[in-house]
Amino acid sequence: MNDTAFVLTLAASVAAAVPIALAALGELLSEKAGVLNLGVEGMMLVGAVTAFQIGDATGSLWLALFAGALGGTLFASIHAFLSVTLRANQIVSGLALTIFGTGLSTFIGKSIEGLPLATDFKPTAWGPLADIPLLGPLLFNQDPMFYATVVFALIIAFYLNRTRAGLALRAVGESPGTADTMGVAVGAVRYVHVMLGGTFAGMGGAYLVLGQVPAWSQDGTTAGIGWIALALVVFASWKPLRVLLGAFLFGFARRANFWLQGEGVEIPAEFLAMLPYALTVLVLVVWGTRDLRRRIGAPAALGVPYIRDER
Amino acid sequence: MTTPAIAAVAATKRFPGVLANDAVDFTVFAGEVHTILGENGAGKSTLAAMLCGLYQPDEGHVERNGEPTLLRSPRDGLAQGIGMVHQHFRLVDRFTVAENVILGDPDQPRLIDQSVVETRVAEIGERFGLPIDPRARIADLTVGQRQRVEIVKMLYRDAEVLLLDEPTAVLTPKEVEALFITVNAMTAAGKAIVFISHKLGEVMSISDRVTVMRAGRVTGEVATADTDQRHLAELMVGRPVESETRRATAKSGQADVLLECRGLTLSIDGQNAVDDVDITLRRGEILGIAGVAGNGQRPLARLLAGIDGCDAGSVAVNGSSVTNHGPLAARNAGLAFVPEDRLGTGLVPGLSLTDNMLLTRPRKFLVDRKGARREVGQAITDYEIKTPGTEAHARLLSGGNSQKVLLARELASLGTEDGPQVIIVSSPTRGLDIGAAEFVRGLLHEARERGAAVLIISEDLDEVRSLADRVAVLYRGQIALQGRTDDLTIEQIGLAMAGVSADDDVGASPAEVAG
Ligand SMILES: Nc1ncnc2c1ncn2[C@@H]1O[C@H](COP(=O)(O)OP(=O)(O)OP(=O)(O)O)[C@@H](O)[C@H]1O
Ligand SMILES: [Mg+2]
């Protein structure tokens, strides 16, 4: 076994996990509030293209990241409006968001298609820690966004389980009627978390151009990561730390090719490109099986609009 | 005590096609229990919902301590010390008791401190007679315990006005006693209680004043000291009511067996939810299955109706085996079923009443919508169903009214030549006003006279005793006691429901009755 190739692959998987984890954490927040958002791919595209444009214009990495996050947030507010205020079918609205996002990002990104970006996130080595075999390159030689993502996952786990607001959030996703009678502002909670979902997806998209391949390409940048993130939330049974771990697995799946080639194993690129959509189909199967959905811990009111006056 | 703790002043609430509350005036003082009495769909729940902020009056207003107040949401209500325990519980099943109690409480610290919550829940439980384990998960609790959580929830938020919407409909007699102790403790602590119930005995014993509603309007207000059950019933229905329906005893003897199950067993999560149950039901008799909620009634009913398959045992309808053949086979063999959750298994909430009626009508290629519409129209008159019309969606009906529709569908041809011969009904009169309950009892008795066999499954002992010729008590999935209704005392049945074995005292031996 080629050790260095394997370690390099692992280290790259960790970085590849970052955008998946960010988008999935965002989707988790949205789904915990009972709102399914199939627009993750669209929000990531919008985040990526805005981040590129701002990064290109200002040369500031952090401003670009911020712009990506903001773009995702605003874009998600469309879904919030449609599904919370207008009580539209969430599946339809989310898919529309992805289609719209694809179109919008193509439009915004017309002038930059294929161009490189000068600013990007760079890994920083933690002095001697980075030299520890295996763990060093994996954990102590990554870029700042990796550490931020780990912290986000921890914060979200804490938020959900230990805080008053987290309790209200979970209640809104489980039983909005109950939350409403207990004085939780159901609509506001849903809006905030759907938009937060957009913030994270936007950040994930921004990271794709700022941290992985510093270039914008309409069909190459996200390449189905948004769908993987959606699937990941389900496989992680709506638990933030599991999302993090799962993201590493998916990250590895995306980078394994490099190492496998060295080992003489070829996986057709088409197969890898298909993977996100195959996973999405699997998720829809779970989604369609109510019993299974309950058992793996889906919020009970996921996908259901809340109308107070109705029974 | 000159200003009421809470009042509705000329409050009007409309829903599409329905005037649910029509200029309603209603007051409750601190330290009293004020009951709202009325037929199904009279507007009781709507009035309570306006008082707690869930609905806003279209006209008129709500006053708290004499001051007009605008309650835009239950949050506003809670902030003003008004809390409601709904007819259908509002609890998050996956949460613990403690989590449910502090949900939405603005006075909680941002970081939740479990131990503080647990101590206070225990304190409240102590003070008002509501013992409950704060760490238990709601999904694991009995109905009675869940109700306790609902009340604790409101007391935790310092509610001074408590609205209890049909709290006793789901309780055993023992639990009702316990609830009333709690209610008395609450009034003694100066809280104002609004109580809603159809059971006149309870109303007389717990309340200070009674307001009677009919068709959205207040038709009378009396102090319980100046009235009696008969008078209340008349106020409510608008005509004299037969006070005690007596079941004509079924002709015993060797009529043919219409429903028979032997050794019926079903295990759920490794426990026997239904455990070796034998039932023999003959033409022309009514068997009532009593028991505390959660002792296997629901799974048993579903097994008999063919909805779930059993692990062991057999079911035969009209002599033909339907064991594990599915619900359609049972229906074709002549069995009708009225399930416990009316909206869900029973009715399709998003379909019109007409379409709901069609669901169990003979399946031909074309549906007979005209016939179904006529049938619904007839049922609306017979059962006095409050609805905008035959095309209204089932989910818009009040609790009692949706039940009437379901009963009308299943009872229509019961016991006739080509109708079903056996019917399984869960809580046939639960939530029905006395007029409708009397009507349904009449229907069931009539069906029996026509030669049908009726199996009633209920948690309400009074209901079972007033309807059934024979009673069987389910405890932990087993039949703990069986006998003729006339031979069993309330105490015997109550003990069996609580799991105390009292074999020696039973008048009839199970074997004799089963045959
Ligand atoms: N959200 C709603 N939308 C439409 N109609 C409604 C709604 N809520 C209640 N209604 C109608 O208003 C009327 C009063 O309903 P309400 O629930 O207050 O009756 P109730 O007195 O509580 O009856 P029950 O004893 O059956 O519970 C009914 O005709 C009902 O169909
Ligand atoms: Mg009601």
Side-chain angles (χ1 to χ4, degrees):
Chain A
M1 185 199 272
N2 186 341
D3 260 347
T4 34
F6 185 65
V7 171
L8 282 178
T9 305
L10 277 186
S13 311
V14 170
V18 169
I20 304 177
L22 283 173
L25 286 172
E27 180 66 14
L28 182 143
L29 286 173
S30 176
E31 292 190 13
K32 274 287 181 188
V35 182
L36 177 74
N37 190 350
L38 295 184
V40 185
E41 182 87 358
M43 298 188 295
M44 289 187 88
L45 279 170
V46 168
V49 80
T50 12
F52 191 107
Q53 287 284 18
I54 298 298
D56 200 33
T58 64
S60 159
L61 197 55
W62 295 106
L63 221 55
L65 181 72
F66 178 77
L70 188 68
T73 312
L74 292 179
F75 204 58
S77 66
I78 301 176
H79 185 61
F81 178 71
L82 287 173
S83 60
V84 181
T85 308
L86 299 185
R87 296 159 187 148
N89 179 314
Q90 294 177 8
I91 295 190
V92 176
S93 162
L95 285 175
L97 205 68
T98 283
I99 296 168
F100 181 35
T102 312
L104 186 70
S105 60
T106 313
F107 177 68
I108 301 179
K110 232 188 174 87
S111 59
I112 50 168
E113 180 82 30
L115 291 182
L117 186 66
T119 47
D120 63 354
F121 282 109
K122 297 207 172 40
T124 37
W126 290 41
L129 281 180
D131 299 330
I132 304 175
L134 194 63
L135 283 187
L138 240 60
L139 299 179
F140 301 112
N141 191 13
Q142 299 288 351
D143 67 42
M145 280 310 283
F146 163 73
Y147 303 106
T149 305
V150 174
V151 172
F152 282 142
L154 290 170
I155 291 179
I156 291 175
F158 183 80
Y159 170 71
L160 286 173
N161 295 320
R162 307 294 296 279
T163 68
R164 190 176 90 197
L167 185 72
L169 166 63
R170 285 186 288 139
V172 165
E174 287 290 334
S175 171
T178 304
D180 191 19
T181 15
M182 293 308 282
V184 176
V186 175
V189 169
R190 289 197 161 172
Y191 253 89
V192 166
H193 290 92
V194 171
M195 287 171 72
L196 264 178
T199 313
F200 278 98
M203 262 198 285
Y207 182 79
L208 287 173
V209 292
L210 300 174
Q212 287 194 337
V213 184
W216 162 255
S217 122
Q218 201 277 312
D219 43 57
T221 296
T222 50
I225 287 187
W227 298 108
I228 292 188
L230 268 165
L232 178 54
V233 176
V234 177
F235 293 134
S237 42
W238 292 265
K239 297 206 167 70
L241 298 181
R242 282 200 208 168
V243 162
L244 201 59
L245 286 178
F248 293 138
L249 278 180
F250 281 116
F252 182 69
R254 286 177 79 81
R255 292 289 176 262
N257 226 11
F258 172 65
W259 164 63
L260 287 175
Q261 262 165 13
E263 301 287 306
V265 184
E266 280 290 350
I267 297 179
E270 291 79 7
F271 178 80
L272 290 177
M274 181 199 75
L275 210 60
Y277 308 103
L279 282 175
T280 311
V281 170
L282 210 69
V283 166
L284 286 177
V285 169
V286 174
W287 174 257
T289 323
R290 209 172 75 195
D291 206 36
L292 194 58
R293 221 162 82 196
R294 281 199 76 79
R295 197 136 4 114
I296 60 172
L302 182 55
V304 188
Y306 175 60
I307 308 172
R308 180 189 288 167
D309 264 16
E310 198 158 85
R311 24 178 159 208
Chain B
M1 276 227 316
T2 39
T3 46
I6 192 159
V9 182
T12 296
K13 179 74 188 172
R14 293 185 193 88
F15 292 112
V18 194
L19 184 55
N21 271 201
D22 184 5
V24 170
D25 289 308
F26 182 75
T27 57
V28 197
F29 294 95
E32 79 163 344
V33 178
H34 191 160
T35 293
I36 313 175
L37 196 62
E39 302 182 289
N40 299 122
K44 306 178 295 293
S45 298
T46 305
L47 174 58
M50 286 195 292
L51 292 175
C52 78
L54 190 63
Y55 295 163
Q56 288 70 50
D58 297 324
E59 284 153 38
H61 64 271
V62 174
E63 282 179 7
R64 176 88 170 98
N65 293 327
E67 303 284 331
T69 174
L70 180 63
L71 306 171
R72 276 157 311 193
S73 67
R75 183 221 287 273
D76 290 356
L78 281 168
Q80 301 216 21
I82 307 161
M84 174 153 174
V85 174
H86 290 264
Q87 205 166 351
H88 309 283
F89 294 154
R90 303 220 166 181
L91 293 168
V92 183
D93 284 358
R94 281 220 186 110
F95 282 14
T96 63
V97 170
E99 284 176 322
N100 267 288
V101 165
I102 56 171
L103 174 61
D105 182 0
D107 297 335
Q108 284 298 310
R110 288 188 185 283
L111 286 186
I112 295 164
D113 187 341
Q114 285 288 340
S115 61
V116 175
V117 182
E118 284 168 14
T119 330
R120 259 210 79 196
V121 167
E123 254 170 47
I124 292 174
E126 180 88 8
R127 174 148 177 233
F128 294 101
L130 297 158
I132 197 85
D133 171 12
R135 294 190 189 174
R137 220 158 267 288
I138 300 298
D140 301 331
L141 299 183
T142 66
V143 177
Q145 291 170 320
R146 287 179 200 210
Q147 186 173 68
R148 256 179 263 161
V149 179
E150 286 276 17
I151 299 175
V152 168
K153 225 164 78 167
M154 297 305 158
L155 292 173
Y156 195 98
R157 302 281 281 267
D158 297 320
E160 289 298 319
V161 177
L162 280 108
L163 308 147
L164 310 176
D165 194 355
E166 297 197 32
T168 58
V170 291
L171 299 183
T172 62
K174 265 255 152 5
E175 288 171 326
V176 172
E177 267 172 46
L179 173 69
F180 283 2
I181 291 173
T182 299
V183 168
N184 286 328
M186 292 195 293
T187 46
K191 301 192 187 293
I193 312 286
V194 175
F195 182 75
I196 299 178
S197 171
H198 292 294
K199 299 181 184 169
L200 298 177
E202 289 173 2
V203 171
M204 287 301 296
S205 76
I206 194 70
S207 33
D208 302 297
R209 284 192 297 154
V210 179
T211 284
V212 182
M213 291 183 74
R214 271 176 68 76
R217 238 174 278 154
V218 170
T219 53
E221 195 204 292
V222 285
T224 29
D226 308 335
T227 187
D228 57 27
Q229 289 194 34
R230 177 174 291 269
H231 181 221
L232 283 180
E234 283 182 26
L235 275 179
M236 186 170 138
V237 185
R239 62 181 155 84
V241 184
E242 228 180 289
S243 62
E244 179 64 7
T245 19
R246 190 51 218 142
R247 60 204 122 78
T249 321
K251 18 189 182 313
S252 54
Q254 302 309 310
D256 17 329
V257 174
L258 289 186
L259 176 70
E260 180 166 38
C261 75
R262 287 277 164 264
L264 207 55
T265 302
L266 173 74
S267 90
I268 297 175
D269 296 334
Q271 281 194 329
N272 277 357
V274 176
D275 194 356
D276 196 16
V277 168
D278 293 344
I279 291 172
T280 307
L281 187 59
R282 289 173 185 279
R283 185 177 291 287
E285 79 173 342
I286 301 183
L287 170 64
I289 302 221
V292 178
N295 276 285
Q297 293 97 319
R298 219 167 110 90
L300 176 61
R302 292 172 62 92
L303 283 182
L304 292 173
I307 294 173
D308 296 329
C310 60
D311 293 334
S314 64
V315 184
V317 176
N318 240 334
S320 63
S321 164
V322 295
T323 321
N324 293 347
H325 285 357
L328 195 59
R331 221 169 242 289
N332 288 340
L335 180 131
F337 177 47
V338 180
E340 174 184 46
D341 61 333
R342 321 288 183 196
L343 287 178
T345 333
L347 295 175
V348 184
L351 286 184
S352 71
L353 300 185
T354 306
D355 288 347
N356 268 295
M357 186 63 76
L358 280 168
L359 287 178
T360 59
R361 292 300 170 252
R363 290 160 194 235
K364 303 199 193 96
F365 182 62
L366 293 176
V367 295
D368 176 16
R369 187 162 268 122
K370 209 182 270 162
R373 194 168 297 140
R374 201 170 337 106
E375 234 180 297
V376 177
Q378 191 60 44
I380 290 176
T381 355
D382 288 350
Y383 288 63
E384 297 180 32
I385 298 171
K386 305 279 185 313
T387 164
T390 56
E391 299 313 303
H393 281 188
R395 75 158 177 270
L396 295 181
L397 265 51
S398 78
N401 279 307
S402 50
Q403 177 159 352
K404 291 183 193 174
V405 173
L406 186 57
L407 286 167
R409 183 179 79 197
E410 299 299 334
L411 293 182
S413 54
L414 188 65
T416 58
E417 199 72 19
D418 38 50
Q421 300 301 307
V422 191
I423 188 166
I424 301 173
V425 202
S426 296
S427 315
T429 58
R430 161 171 355 144
L432 290 188
D433 59 60
I434 44 174
E438 181 191 308
F439 181 70
V440 167
R441 273 196 292 268
L443 281 178
L444 289 173
H445 285 144
E446 202 183 297
R448 176 184 62 187
E449 295 314 312
R450 283 201 302 263
V454 181
L455 184 74
I456 289 164
I457 298 183
S458 172
E459 287 132 33
D460 181 346
L461 204 49
D462 294 337
E463 180 176 48
V464 170
R465 283 172 48 88
S466 73
L467 271 165
D469 309 308
R470 281 196 294 132
V471 179
V473 178
L474 266 189
Y475 178 72
R476 300 232 167 118
Q478 290 181 325
I479 294 199
L481 174 71
Q482 238 192 104
R484 305 201 65 80
T485 314
D486 295 330
D487 300 339
L488 296 173
T489 62
I490 297 195
E491 286 72 30
Q492 282 175 320
I493 302 178
L495 284 175
M497 283 169 73
V500 182
S501 101
D503 297 337
D504 334 296
D505 303 337
V506 179
S509 84
E512 174 189 326
V513 177

Coordinates of all heavy atoms in Angstrom, one line a residue, chain A residues 309-311, chain B residues 15-16 18 20 38-47 55 87 165-166 198 386-387 396-401 431, ligand 1:
Chain A
D309 N -55.5 27.7 12.4 CA -57.0 27.6 12.4 C -57.5 26.3 11.9 O -58.7 26.1 11.9 CB -57.6 28.7 11.5 CG -58.0 29.9 12.3 OD1 -57.5 30.0 13.5 OD2 -58.7 30.8 11.9
E310 N -56.6 25.4 11.5 CA -57.1 24.2 10.8 C -57.0 23.0 11.8 O -56.1 23.0 12.6 CB -56.4 24.0 9.6 CG -57.1 23.0 8.6 CD -56.6 23.2 7.2 OE1 -55.6 22.6 6.9 OE2 -57.3 24.0 6.5
R311 N -57.8 22.0 11.6 CA -57.6 20.8 12.4 C -57.4 19.7 11.4 O -57.8 19.7 10.3 CB -58.7 20.6 13.3 CG -60.0 21.2 13.0 CD -61.0 20.7 14.0 NE -62.2 21.6 14.0 CZ -62.9 21.8 15.2 NH1 -62.4 21.2 16.2 NH2 -63.9 22.5 15.2
Chain B
F15 N -66.6 30.7 11.2 CA -65.8 29.9 10.3 C -66.6 29.8 9.0 O -67.8 30.1 8.9 CB -65.6 28.5 10.8 CG -64.7 28.5 12.0 CD1 -65.2 28.2 13.3 CD2 -63.4 28.9 11.9 CE1 -64.4 28.2 14.4 CE2 -62.6 28.9 13.1 CZ -63.1 28.6 14.3
P16 N -65.9 29.5 7.9 CA -66.6 29.4 6.6 C -67.9 28.6 6.7 O -67.8 27.4 7.0 CB -65.6 28.8 5.7 CG -64.3 29.0 6.3 CD -64.5 29.2 7.7
V18 N -70.1 28.6 9.0 CA -70.6 28.3 10.4 C -70.4 29.6 11.3 O -69.4 30.2 11.2 CB -69.8 27.2 11.0 CG1 -70.5 26.7 12.3 CG2 -69.5 26.1 10.1
A20 N -69.8 30.0 14.7 CA -69.4 29.1 15.8 C -69.8 29.7 17.1 O -70.2 29.0 18.1 CB -68.0 28.8 15.7
G38 N -73.0 21.9 26.4 CA -73.7 22.1 25.1 C -73.5 20.9 24.2 O -72.6 20.1 24.3
E39 N -74.3 20.9 23.2 CA -74.3 19.8 22.2 C -73.0 19.8 21.4 O -72.3 20.8 21.4 CB -75.5 19.8 21.3 CG -76.8 19.8 22.0 CD -77.9 19.8 21.0 OE1 -78.2 20.9 20.4 OE2 -78.6 18.8 20.9
N40 N -72.8 18.8 20.6 CA -71.6 18.8 19.7 C -71.7 19.9 18.7 O -72.8 20.1 18.1 CB -71.5 17.4 19.0 CG -71.3 16.3 20.0 OD1 -72.1 15.4 20.0 ND2 -70.3 16.4 20.8
G41 N -70.7 20.6 18.6 CA -70.7 21.7 17.6 C -71.4 23.0 18.1 O -71.6 23.9 17.4
A42 N -71.7 23.0 19.4 CA -72.4 24.2 20.0 C -71.5 25.4 20.1 O -71.9 26.5 20.1 CB -72.9 23.9 21.4
G43 N -70.2 25.1 20.0 CA -69.2 26.2 20.1 C -68.4 26.3 21.3 O -67.7 27.3 21.6
K44 N -68.4 25.2 22.1 CA -67.7 25.3 23.4 C -66.2 25.4 23.2 O -65.5 26.3 23.8 CB -67.9 24.0 24.2 CG -69.4 23.7 24.4 CD -69.7 22.4 25.1 CE -69.2 21.2 24.4 NZ -70.0 20.9 23.1
S45 N -65.6 24.5 22.4 CA -64.2 24.6 22.2 C -63.8 25.9 21.6 O -62.7 26.5 21.9 CB -63.7 23.5 21.3 OG -64.0 22.2 21.9
T46 N -64.6 26.4 20.7 CA -64.3 27.7 20.0 C -64.2 28.8 21.1 O -63.3 29.7 21.1 CB -65.4 28.0 19.0 OG1 -65.4 26.9 18.1 CG2 -65.0 29.3 18.2
L47 N -65.2 28.8 22.0 CA -65.2 29.9 23.0 C -63.9 29.8 23.9 O -63.3 30.8 24.1 CB -66.5 29.7 23.9 CG -66.5 30.6 25.2 CD1 -66.5 32.1 24.8 CD2 -67.8 30.3 26.0
Y55 N -57.8 31.5 19.0 CA -58.6 32.2 18.0 C -58.8 33.6 18.5 O -58.9 33.8 19.7 CB -59.9 31.5 17.8 CG -59.9 30.1 17.2 CD1 -61.1 29.3 17.3 CD2 -58.8 29.6 16.6 CE1 -61.1 28.0 16.8 CE2 -58.8 28.3 16.1 CZ -60.0 27.5 16.2 OH -60.0 26.3 15.7
Q87 N -58.8 19.5 24.0 CA -59.5 18.2 23.8 C -58.6 17.2 23.2 O -58.6 16.0 23.7 CB -60.7 18.5 22.8 CG -61.8 17.6 22.9 CD -63.0 18.1 22.1 OE1 -63.0 19.3 21.7 NE2 -64.1 17.3 22.0
D165 N -60.8 21.4 28.3 CA -61.7 21.0 27.3 C -62.0 19.5 27.3 O -61.1 18.8 26.9 CB -61.3 21.5 25.9 CG -62.4 21.4 24.9 OD1 -63.5 20.9 25.2 OD2 -62.1 21.9 23.7
E166 N -63.1 19.1 27.8 CA -63.4 17.7 27.9 C -62.3 16.8 28.5 O -61.9 15.9 27.9 CB -63.9 17.1 26.5 CG -65.1 17.8 26.0 CD -65.8 17.1 24.9 OE1 -65.8 15.8 24.9 OE2 -66.5 17.7 24.1
H198 N -69.6 16.6 28.8 CA -70.9 16.2 28.4 C -71.5 15.4 29.5 O -72.7 15.1 29.5 CB -70.9 15.4 27.2 CG -70.5 16.1 25.9 ND1 -71.3 17.1 25.4 CD2 -69.4 16.0 25.1 CE1 -70.7 17.6 24.3 NE2 -69.6 17.0 24.1
K386 N -73.9 19.2 13.0 CA -73.7 20.6 12.6 C -72.6 20.7 11.6 O -71.4 20.4 11.8 CB -73.2 21.3 13.9 CG -74.1 21.2 15.1 CD -75.3 22.1 15.0 CE -76.2 22.0 16.3 NZ -76.4 20.7 16.8
T387 N -73.0 21.1 10.4 CA -72.1 21.2 9.3 C -72.6 22.1 8.2 O -73.9 22.2 8.1 CB -71.8 19.8 8.6 OG1 -71.2 20.0 7.3 CG2 -73.0 19.0 8.4
L396 N -63.3 19.8 9.1 CA -63.9 21.1 9.6 C -64.9 20.8 10.7 O -65.3 21.7 11.4 CB -64.5 21.9 8.5 CG -63.6 22.4 7.4 CD1 -64.3 23.2 6.4 CD2 -62.5 23.2 8.1
L397 N -65.3 19.6 10.9 CA -66.4 19.3 11.9 C -65.8 19.3 13.3 O -64.6 18.9 13.5 CB -67.0 17.9 11.6 CG -68.3 17.9 10.7 CD1 -68.1 18.8 9.5 CD2 -68.7 16.5 10.4
S398 N -66.7 19.6 14.3 CA -66.2 19.6 15.7 C -66.0 18.1 16.0 O -66.5 17.2 15.4 CB -67.3 20.2 16.6 OG -68.3 19.3 16.8
G399 N -65.4 17.9 17.2 CA -65.0 16.5 17.6 C -66.2 15.6 17.6 O -66.2 14.5 17.0
G400 N -67.3 16.0 18.2 CA -68.5 15.1 18.3 C -69.2 14.9 16.9 O -69.6 13.8 16.6
N401 N -69.1 15.9 16.1 CA -69.8 15.8 14.8 C -69.1 14.9 13.8 O -69.8 14.2 13.1 CB -70.0 17.2 14.2 CG -71.2 18.0 14.8 OD1 -72.3 17.4 14.8 ND2 -70.9 19.1 15.3
G431 N -67.5 11.8 23.7 CA -67.5 13.1 23.1 C -68.8 13.5 22.5 O -68.9 14.6 22.0
Ligands
LIG1 N1 -61.2 25.7 12.5 C1 -62.4 25.5 12.1 N2 -62.8 25.7 10.8 C2 -64.1 25.5 10.4 N3 -65.1 25.3 11.2 C3 -64.8 25.1 12.5 C4 -63.5 25.2 13.0 N4 -63.5 25.1 14.3 C5 -64.8 24.8 14.6 N5 -65.6 24.9 13.6 C6 -67.1 24.7 13.5 O1 -67.6 25.6 14.5 C7 -68.6 24.9 15.2 C8 -68.3 24.9 16.7 O2 -67.2 24.0 16.9 P1 -66.6 23.6 18.4 O3 -65.4 22.8 18.1 O4 -66.5 24.9 19.1 O5 -67.8 22.8 19.0 P2 -67.9 22.1 20.4 O6 -69.0 22.7 21.2 O7 -66.5 22.1 21.1 O8 -68.3 20.6 20.0 P3 -67.9 19.1 20.6 O9 -68.7 18.8 21.7 O10 -68.2 18.2 19.4 O11 -66.4 19.2 20.8 C9 -68.8 23.5 14.6 O12 -69.8 23.5 13.7 C10 -67.5 23.3 13.9 O13 -67.7 22.5 12.7

